[in-house]
C-alpha cells in the first residue's frame, strides 16, 4: 500500500508546484462543519421556497427529502474521495487525479460559478433585509439596496483576504446562531413552547398538489437549494490539521444538521404562510422564516429571525468567497488559468489574488441579475458537478481499488450511492428543463465552448506529469 | 515520446485569456435574460374582474393569513392566480438529453486522452 500521508503535519498546505509558501493548516472539524453548513443554511432562510411555487407545499416537502437523499450520496462520496485527495480545489483536484484535465477544468468552473452566484444571491438577500429593517423602523422612502450589497461583498472579501482561521471562526459563531434561531422558531410556533400557530391542514385545503405530480418533479429544481454547497467542505482540505478525520466528520455532521434544519424549516413556514405567497420568492416571501416570525406576533422572534437571516446570508457569502477563491487559486496554480492566480499571500497565507479578482464578478451578478436567475445559475453549476461525482467515484474505485491507497473514510454500499445520485441528477435536469430550459442549454453551451478553448488552446501551457501531485501508485488499467 | 515542456505565456496573452472567460460567463447569464428567453415566468390564465377571497379560491383561514400579511383580494390577485406553464414538446426534451449526454461524452473522451499523457509522463517518465 502506498503511503499517501494525508495527515502530515510537516507538509503545511502541501505547497506543491514549487510555491514558496502554502496555505496555512489551522482548521479543525468544527470549522469544516461551519464552512459546509454556513454556506448552505441560508438556503433555509431564502430560496428553498421557490420549490413551493413550482409545485405546492407538499411537493416542496417531497423535493426536500429526495434532495436530502441526493446530498447524502454527495456527502458520502465526497467524504471518501476528499479524505484521500486532501488538497485545495476540492472536486477540481479530485477530477484532475481521477478523470482527467478537461473534466477538472470544467469542475473548477462549476465550483467557482456555483459559489460566486450563491455569494451574489446572499448579498441580494442581505440588501433586501436591510431595506425591510429600514421600513420596519419607520423609514418611509424606497431604500437603495445597492450600497449594502457592495458593502457585504467587500467586507467579507476583506475578511477572507486577512486569514482563513478568523474567517471560518466567524462563520462558526454566526452559523450556530442562525441554526439555533430556526430551532427556537420551530419550538415557539409549533406549540412545544407555549401556544402553537400552525395550521397546515387549513392552509393546504384545496391546494394539496396544485400542479399535480409534474409539480413534484418541477419542485426538485429548487429542492437542491435546501442543501446546495455542503460539498464545499472539501475546499478546506489543504487547510485542516487532520484531513482524514476532520473532512468526513465535518461533512457528515453538516449534512445531518441540514436534513434537520430543512425539514423544520418546511414544517414551520408551510404551517403559517399560504403556499402562493410562500412560493413566490420575488414578489411574495423573500425570507420565509423571517415572514413566519412576523406572523407569530412576537417581537423577540422577529428580531431573532431577522438576525438569523442576516447571519445566514453573511455566513454563506463568507464561505462562498472562501470556496470560490480556493477553486480559482488551485486552477491558477496548475496553470489551467494564468499562474498569477496561484499565489499565496506571504503574510496571511491566503489565495489573495483569487479572492480580489472574484469580487467584481460577484458584484456584477448581485447588482445586475434577478434573484431567481442567479439562484438558477448556481443550481445548474452545482447540478453539473453532482452529475460528475458518481462518475468520479466509480472511476476512483476502479483505478485505485480499496487497500491500494490509504483512505480516510470508505463510504458503504458502493456503487449504490453513485447510481442513486446519477438517477436523482437526471430527475433534477428534467425539473430544470421544465422552467429554465433556455438557461440550461445556454450554460451547457458555455461549458462546451470553454472546454474546446481549454483543450485546443489553454492546455498547452500546462505541464503534463506535474499535475499529478498525490503520492499514489499508478492507476490500474494504465 | 519526449517529456512535454510547456511554453511560457506572455502577460498580454494571460490577460486576454481571463477577459475571454469573463466575457463568456457574462454572456451565458445575461444573453438569455436580455433576449427574454429566461423562461419560468408565471402568467394569470383567467383574471378575476372583481376579486374576493372566495373567487380567488381562498378559505377563511387562508384569507386571514393574507390579511395578516397586509394583502387585500385585489393586491393578492396576481400572486394567487399566477401559474407556471409546464407544457413541453418531445423534441425539446430529446434535444436537451442529447446536449447533456454529448457534453459529458466530450468531457470524458478529451479528458481520457489528456489523462493518459499525464499518467505516462508521471509514472513512465515519458
Amino acid at each position: 500500500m502506498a503511503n499517501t500521508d494525508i495527515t502530515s503535519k510537516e507538509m503545511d498546505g502541501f505547497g506543491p508546484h514549487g510555491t514558496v509558501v502554502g496555505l496555512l493548516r489551522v482548521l479543525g472539524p468544527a470549522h469544516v462543519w461551519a464552512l459546509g453548513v454556513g454556506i448552505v443554511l441560508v438556503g433555509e432562510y431564502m430560496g428553498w421556497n421557490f420549490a413551493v411555487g413550482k409545485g405546492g407545499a407538499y411537493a416542496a416537502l417531497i423535493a426536500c427529502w429526495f434532495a436530502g437523499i441526493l446530498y447524502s450520496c454527495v456527502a458520502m462520496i465526497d467524504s471518501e474521495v476528499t479524505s484521500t485527495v486532501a488538497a485545495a480545489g476540492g472536486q477540481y483536484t479530485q477530477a484532475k487525479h481521477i478523470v482527467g484535465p478537461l473534466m477538472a477544468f470544467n469542475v473548477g468552473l462549476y465550483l467557482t460559478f456555483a459559489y460566486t452566484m450563491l455569494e451574489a444571491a446572499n448579498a441580494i438577500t442581505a440588501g433586501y433585509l436591510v431595506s425591510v429593517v429600514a421600513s420596519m423602523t419607520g423609514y418611509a422612502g424606497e431604500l437603495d439596496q445597492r450600497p449594502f450589497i457592495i458593502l457585504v461583498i467587500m467586507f467579507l472579501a476583506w475578511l477572507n483576504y486577512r486569514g482563513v482561521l478568523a474567517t471560518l471562526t466567524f462563520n462558526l459563531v454566526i452559523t450556530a446562531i442562525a441554526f439555533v434561531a430556526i430551532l427556537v422558531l420551530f419550538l415557539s410556533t409549533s406549540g412545544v413552547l407555549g401556544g402553537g400557530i400552525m395550521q397546515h391542514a387549513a392552509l393546504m385545503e384545496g391546494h394539496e398538489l396544485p400542479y399535480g405530480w409534474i409539480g413534484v418533479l418541477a419542485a426538485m429544481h429548487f429542492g437542491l437549494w435546501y442543501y446546495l454547497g455542503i460539498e464545499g467542505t472539501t475546499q478546506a482540505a489543504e487547510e485542516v490539521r487532520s484531513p482524514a478525520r476532520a473532512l468526513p466528520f465535518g461533512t457528515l455532521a453538516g449534512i445531518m444538521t441540514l436534513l434537520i434544519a430543512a425539514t423544520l424549516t418546511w414544517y414551520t413556514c408551510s404551517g403559517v404562510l399560504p403556499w402562493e405567497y410562500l412560493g413566490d420568492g420575488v414578489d411574495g416571501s423573500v425570507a420565509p422564516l423571517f415572514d413566519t416570525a412576523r406572523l407569530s406576533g412576537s417581537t423577540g422572534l422577529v428580531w431573532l429571525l431577522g438576525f438569523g437571516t442576516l447571519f445566514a446570508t453573511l455566513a454563506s457569502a463568507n464561505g462562498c468567497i472562501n470556496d470560490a477563491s480556493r477553486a480559482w487559486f488551485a486552477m491558477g496554480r496548475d496553470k489551467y488559468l494564468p499562474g498569477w492566480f496561484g499565489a499565496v499571500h506571504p503574510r496571511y497565507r491566503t489565495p489573495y489574488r483569487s479572492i480580489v479578482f472574484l469580487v467584481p464578478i460577484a458584484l456584477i451578478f448581485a447588482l445586475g441579475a434577478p434573484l431567481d436567475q442567479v439562484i438558477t445559475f448556481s443550481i445548474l453549476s452545482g447540478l453539473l458537478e453532482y452529475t460528475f461525482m458518481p462518475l468520479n467515484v466509480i472511476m476512483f474505485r476502479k483505478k485505485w481499488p480499496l487497500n491500494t491507497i490509504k483512505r480516510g473514510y470508505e463510504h458503504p454500499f458502493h456503487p449504490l450511492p453513485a447510481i442513486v445520485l446519477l438517477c436523482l441528477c437526471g430527475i433534477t435536469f428534467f425539473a430544470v428543463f421544465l422552467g429554465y430550459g433556455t438557461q440550461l442549454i445556454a450554460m451547457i453551451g458555455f461549458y462546451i465552448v470553454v472546454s474546446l478553448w481549454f483543450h485546443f488552446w489553454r492546455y498547452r501551457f500546462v505541464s503534463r506529469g506535474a499535475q499529478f501531485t498525490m503520492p499514489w501508485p499508478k492507476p490500474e488499467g494504465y | 515520446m519526449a517529456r512535454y515542456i510547456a511554453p511560457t505565456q506572455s502577460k498580454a496573452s494571460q490577460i486576454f485569456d481571463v477577459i475571454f472567460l469573463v466575457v463568456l460567463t457574462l454572456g451565458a447569464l445575461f444573453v438569455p435574460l436580455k433576449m427574454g428567453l429566461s423562461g419560468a415566468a408565471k402568467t394569470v390564465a383567467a383574471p378575476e374582474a372583481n376579486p374576493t377571497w372566495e373567487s380567488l379560491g381562498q378559505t377563511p383561514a387562508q384569507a386571514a393569513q393574507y390579511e395578516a400579511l397586509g394583502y387585500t383580494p385585489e393586491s393578492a390577485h396576481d400572486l394567487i392566480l399566477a401559474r407556471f406553464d409546464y407544457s413541453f414538446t418531445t423534441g425539446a426534451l430529446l434535444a436537451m438529453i442529447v446536449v447533456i449526454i454529448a457534453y459529458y461524452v466530450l468531457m470524458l473522451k478529451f479528458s481520457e486522452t489528456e489523462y493518459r499523457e499525464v499518467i505516462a509522463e508521471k509514472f513512465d517518465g515519458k
Side-chain angles (χ1 to χ4, degrees):
Chain A
M1 180 189 288
N3 180 13
T4 57
D5 197 16
I6 56 175
T7 58
S8 171
K9 296 278 196 297
E10 286 72 41
M11 297 171 73
D12 191 10
F14 283 19
H17 310 295
T19 50
V20 178
V21 289
L23 302 170
L24 209 53
R25 280 196 183 282
V26 287
L27 304 177
H31 294 104
V32 175
W33 177 89
L35 178 61
V37 177
I39 287 177
V40 186
L41 200 63
V42 71
E44 331 306 357
Y45 278 90
M46 66 92 178
W48 70 271
N49 49 315
F50 284 108
V52 177
K54 297 295 265 182
Y58 283 128
L61 179 63
I62 297 169
C64 168
W65 287 341
F66 272 92
I69 295 170
L70 185 154
Y71 279 92
S72 298
C73 296
V74 165
M76 286 163 67
I77 290 170
D78 235 8
S79 293
E80 172 168 331
V81 185
T82 204
S83 69
T84 315
V85 188
Q91 292 83 3
Y92 155 76
T93 310
Q94 297 173 17
K96 189 179 68 170
H97 286 89
I98 297 166
V99 184
L102 181 60
M103 189 80 241
F105 176 69
N106 276 262
V107 171
L109 291 183
Y110 302 158
L111 292 166
T112 306
F113 294 140
Y115 293 125
T116 306
M117 304 284 179
L118 179 48
E119 175 194 342
N122 290 322
I124 293 170
T125 308
Y128 161 80
L129 231 122
V130 173
S131 73
V132 170
V133 170
S135 68
M136 284 172 68
T137 50
Y139 183 74
E142 184 79 19
L143 189 76
D144 188 350
Q145 299 175 15
R146 288 174 298 180
F148 300 98
I149 291 173
I150 295 169
L151 188 65
V152 163
I153 290 176
M154 297 290 281
F155 167 71
L156 294 175
W158 170 78
L159 195 62
N160 271 271
Y161 185 100
R162 289 296 299 264
V164 71
L165 184 61
T167 300
L168 293 188
T169 303
F170 175 67
N171 247 37
L172 182 60
V173 174
I174 62 178
T175 301
I177 293 171
F179 181 64
V180 168
I182 294 176
L183 294 178
V184 171
L185 181 68
F186 166 72
L187 293 172
S188 306
T189 54
S190 63
V192 177
L193 298 177
I197 57 169
M198 298 290 164
Q199 38 183 339
H200 290 91
L203 287 180
M204 293 184 202
E205 185 185 341
H207 307 286
E208 286 79 9
L209 284 176
Y211 290 95
W213 285 100
I214 198 162
V216 177
L217 285 175
M220 267 303 281
H221 175 179
F222 288 103
L224 262 58
W225 201 246
Y226 284 107
Y227 314 96
L228 193 136
I230 183 63
E231 71 280 4
T233 52
T234 60
Q235 297 297 333
E238 210 165 303
E239 293 158 278
V240 287
R241 289 187 296 270
S242 172
R245 173 175 165 269
L247 291 171
F249 184 84
T251 305
L252 294 173
I255 190 67
M256 288 176 211
T257 307
L258 292 170
L259 286 166
I260 294 167
T263 304
L264 291 185
T265 297
W266 177 89
Y267 182 82
T268 307
C269 296
S270 64
V272 175
L273 303 171
W275 82 271
E276 302 97 332
Y277 174 79
L278 177 60
D280 193 330
V282 177
D283 299 319
S285 183
V286 175
L289 283 166
F290 180 65
D291 288 333
T292 304
R294 283 166 57 198
L295 285 194
S296 73
S298 162
T299 309
L301 280 179
V302 171
W303 280 105
L304 179 64
L305 270 295
F307 277 110
T309 309
L310 185 63
F311 286 172
T313 56
L314 292 179
S316 182
N318 199 26
C320 286
I321 294 172
N322 180 88
D323 282 2
S325 61
R326 265 61 181 178
W328 198 256
F329 156 79
M331 287 199 289
R333 195 168 59 180
D334 288 327
K335 305 282 174 61
Y336 283 30
L337 295 172
W340 186 79
F341 292 114
V344 173
H345 194 285
R347 183 174 168 198
Y348 302 126
R349 309 282 289 276
T350 53
Y352 65 117
R353 288 177 182 163
S354 297
I355 291 169
V356 172
F357 174 77
L358 292 172
V359 167
I361 308 286
L363 285 173
I364 289 170
F365 292 128
L367 298 173
L371 182 61
D372 63 328
Q373 303 291 334
V374 171
I375 287 177
T376 293
F377 247 60
S378 184
I379 287 174
L380 277 174
S381 292
L383 185 56
L384 290 169
E385 182 196 343
Y386 307 142
T387 309
F388 141 80
M389 290 173 81
L391 307 175
N392 187 46
V393 77
I394 288 169
M395 292 170 91
F396 182 50
R397 287 279 184 113
K398 195 174 161 199
K399 291 179 181 179
W400 291 279
L402 297 180
N403 301 322
T404 55
I405 55 172
K406 191 164 74 180
R407 286 162 160 86
Y409 168 82
E410 292 171 8
H411 82 273
F413 312 120
H414 177 79
L416 189 61
I419 294 167
V420 171
L421 178 54
L422 205 53
C423 292
L424 289 172
C425 285
I427 291 170
T428 313
F429 271 120
F430 179 67
V432 175
F433 164 76
L434 286 175
Y436 294 82
T438 310
Q439 277 96 329
L440 178 61
I441 299 297
M443 180 148 251
I444 292 180
F446 160 77
Y447 280 114
I448 289 174
V449 171
V450 293
S451 295
L452 294 173
W453 171 78
F454 177 83
H455 184 78
F456 291 109
W457 165 253
R458 181 73 222 168
Y459 191 55
R460 74 187 61 192
F461 301 110
V462 180
S463 299
R464 303 301 194 246
Q467 296 171 67
F468 199 102
T469 52
M470 288 294 131
W472 294 348
K474 192 176 178 181
E476 292 191 5
Y478 287 80
Chain B
M1 188 174 79
R3 193 176 186 84
Y4 180 75
I5 307 294
T8 305
Q9 190 181 20
S10 70
K11 278 187 180 156
S13 174
Q14 291 187 40
I15 292 168
F16 179 81
D17 278 1
V18 172
I19 292 171
F20 177 77
L21 259 184
V22 171
V23 168
L24 270 182
T25 308
L26 296 179
L29 176 65
F30 287 109
V31 168
L33 275 177
K34 298 294 178 196
M35 292 177 69
L37 298 172
S38 52
K42 290 195 284 189
T43 52
V44 178
E48 286 287 327
N50 297 301
T52 62
W53 291 124
E54 291 75 23
S55 69
L56 294 176
Q58 302 299 299
T59 64
Q62 292 156 359
Q65 294 305 86
Y66 272 111
E67 285 170 1
L69 288 163
Y71 283 93
T72 62
E74 289 77 18
S75 63
H77 175 272
D78 285 1
L79 189 71
I80 290 173
L81 293 185
R83 291 287 184 277
F84 290 110
D85 178 9
Y86 291 142
S87 60
F88 62 90
T89 63
T90 311
L93 179 62
L94 288 175
M96 182 202 71
I97 293 169
V98 167
V99 167
I100 292 172
I101 291 175
Y103 167 67
Y104 279 103
V105 168
L106 179 83
M107 284 306 95
L108 294 174
K109 190 170 163 38
F110 282 10
S111 291
E112 178 66 15
T113 311
E114 294 165 351
Y115 189 72
R116 285 195 176 275
E117 281 179 11
V118 172
I119 297 303
E121 191 172 301
K122 173 76 181 179
F123 293 97
D124 303 334
K126 288 180 182 173

